[in-house]
Amino acid sequence: MAGLLDQYRLSGNRQALTVLLEMAAWADARTAPLSRERMQSVLKVEFGGMNDVLTRLYLETGDPAHLRTAQRFDHDELYAPLAAGRDELAGRHANTEIAKVAGAVPGYEATGDARYLDIADTFWTHVVEHHSYVIGGNSNQELFGQPDEIVSRLSDVTCENCSSYNMLKLGRHLFPARRRCTRSARATGSSARPCRRIGPASTN
């Protein structure tokens, strides 16, 4: 789905958009009948960046069905601690969670809800500063461990490429969104604090 959206956005391929719209409608139809509790249970597994691509599709189409479907993929078990500034990543499959958080930035862009920026910023900062190797990759055997103990988990299966790619993607979208949030807050005379939970250290 993400590739189809890129085809449309970067080259104007209308056929790619047509196929993507059908896939989005299918995702909506399949998830709409599920209770919130059942949907949250489904989100415990790896499902890629569904909230990311569907929210970005909404930003292109303006169709509220796309945003509504995207928000069904917001995983409360992961998002709630991050929104509160807590690192509860130990034992979680790294790339599963990185892909989920990548959807938080377009979530902010689509709704203006700074909580999404808190989630993305907290996650990015904790992973970079407390779960990453010096070469920039993260996780061992595809899993996060306890913060600041990564030296004890150095094996020959560290730094999964997918995780590194998705962290770069998250950072690439997070930093401009945070700057836009700060500028908007200053322009309206409100506090810029909701735009960055962690502060300048997150860019070191």
Side-chain angles (χ1 to χ4, degrees), residues 41-63:
S41 178
V42 170
L43 299 185
K44 293 179 182 294
V45 302
E46 188 169 10
F47 56 81
M50 289 296 291
N51 53 354
D52 181 36
V53 67
L54 287 165
T55 305
R56 293 190 186 284
L57 178 60
Y58 165 75
L59 291 171
E60 293 291 327
T61 66
D63 186 341

Side-chain angles (χ1 to χ4, degrees), residues 125-147:
T125 300
H126 280 298
V127 171
V128 168
E129 297 183 358
H130 305 288
H131 295 277
S132 293
Y133 297 96
V134 67
I135 62 172
N138 62 76
S139 71
N140 184 54
Q141 296 179 328
E142 301 189 15
L143 299 173
F144 288 125
Q146 294 296 328

Side-chain angles (χ1 to χ4, degrees), residues 50-146:
M50 289 296 291
N51 53 354
D52 181 36
V53 67
L54 287 165
T55 305
R56 293 190 186 284
L57 178 60
Y58 165 75
L59 291 171
E60 293 291 327
T61 66
D63 186 341
H66 298 150
L67 181 60
R68 182 176 65 244
T69 308
Q71 290 176 330
R72 292 190 193 118
F73 288 90
D74 289 350
H75 191 189
D76 292 345
E77 184 178 285
L78 175 66
Y79 276 18
L82 293 171
R86 299 196 307 273
D87 179 348
E88 297 183 3
L89 301 176
R92 292 186 172 276
H93 184 258
N95 194 50
T96 296
E97 313 303 10
I98 299 169
K100 294 175 184 177
V101 175
V105 178
Y108 163 71
E109 294 170 346
T111 66
D113 184 353
R115 178 177 181 269
Y116 280 117
L117 283 188
D118 286 344
I119 291 165
D121 196 45
T122 298
F123 181 85
W124 193 92
T125 300
H126 280 298
V127 171
V128 168
E129 297 183 358
H130 305 288
H131 295 277
S132 293
Y133 297 96
V134 67
I135 62 172
N138 62 76
S139 71
N140 184 54
Q141 296 179 328
E142 301 189 15
L143 299 173
F144 288 125
Q146 294 296 328

Side-chain angles (χ1 to χ4, degrees), residues 31 33-44:
T31 57
L34 301 180
S35 68
R36 179 171 179 78
E37 292 74 19
R38 175 59 64 87
M39 188 68 195
Q40 288 296 309
S41 178
V42 170
L43 299 185
K44 293 179 182 294

